[in-house]
């Protein structure tokens, strides 16, 4: 089993979604900014989560991601299994050098793997979100989305015009 940074980011993002499950869909841009994760990296993570039906996506203005249809029963094992490329079950060929050589520690690693997987299956996403709420985490209100051009991108419509004597339109006013 591999526990990578990608898995850690996925669990963090899913906790964020669980904390905001009562509100509107959460855009990936907001998740990326809050947790300082690259947006393109989050897009890859959420594509895998969507394929495993752990999240639902909504397109358009006000769109984003929400927990999937089985939001109450999602476990950490579900998230890590969806994110990691390889199967979560141990690969027997990875433990030994070649097939003729016995692996003296195989039982140790298989037992450790089984213990980690069993623990991850007991930790639900809802319990992790409840822990964050118990620590005092407050969900900030989401800014309302505006249709059309944002106010910060609107050009100023009052360009400065010189009104001096050499101004070309001053002749017409004289």
């Amino acid at each position: 089993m591999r526990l990578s940074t990608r898995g850690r980011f996925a669990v963090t993002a899913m906790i964020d979604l669980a904390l905001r499950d009562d509100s509107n869909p959460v855009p990936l841009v907001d998740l990326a900014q809050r947790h300082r994760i690259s947006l393109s990296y989050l897009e890859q993570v959420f594509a895998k989560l969507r394929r495993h039906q752990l999240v639902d996506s909504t397109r358009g203005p006000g769109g984003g991601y929400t927990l999937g249809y089985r939001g109450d029963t999602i476990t950490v094992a579900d998230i890590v299994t969806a994110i990691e490329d390889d199967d979560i079950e141990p690969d027997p060929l990875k433990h030994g050098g070649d097939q003729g050589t016995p692996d003296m520690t195989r039982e140790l690693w298989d037992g450790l793997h089984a213990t980690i997987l069993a623990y991850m299956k007991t930790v639900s996403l809802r319990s992790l979100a409840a822990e964050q709420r118990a620590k005092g985490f407050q969900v900030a209100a989401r800014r309302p989305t505006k249709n059309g051009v944002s106010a910060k991108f609107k050009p100023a419509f009052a360009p400065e015009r010189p009104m001096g004597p050499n101004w070309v339109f001053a002749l017409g006013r004289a």
Side-chain angles (χ1 to χ4, degrees), residues 90 95 103-116:
H95 290 292
D103 186 4
M104 294 180 221
T105 60
R106 179 177 177 136
E107 291 177 10
L108 169 70
W109 300 125
D110 287 346
L112 180 62
H113 169 77
T115 303
I116 291 172

Side-chain angles (χ1 to χ4, degrees), residues 14 17 21 44-57 65-75 77-83 125-126:
M14 291 291 285
L17 284 184
D21 195 35
Q44 294 172 12
V45 166
F46 273 80
K48 290 184 178 190
L49 292 172
R50 191 174 57 242
R51 264 186 259 135
H52 286 84
Q53 300 176 342
L54 297 176
V55 295
D56 289 330
S57 63
Y65 287 89
T66 56
L67 292 181
Y69 71 93
R70 46 184 218 152
D72 292 336
T73 61
I74 296 174
T75 65
D78 295 332
I79 299 168
V80 172
T81 302
I83 292 302
L125 187 59
R126 292 286 179 196

Side-chain angles (χ1 to χ4, degrees), residues 137-167:
F137 179 82
Q138 296 291 326
V139 176
R142 185 174 167 204
R143 294 174 285 143
T145 58
K146 295 180 182 178
N147 292 339
V149 179
S150 175
K152 70 178 182 179
F153 294 114
K154 288 184 181 177
F157 289 108
E160 286 191 34
R161 296 182 182 176
M163 301 298 271
N166 291 337
W167 185 45

Side-chain angles (χ1 to χ4, degrees), residues 159 161-165 167-174:
R161 296 182 182 176
M163 301 298 271
W167 185 45
V168 70
F169 296 107
L171 297 174
R173 292 185 182 178

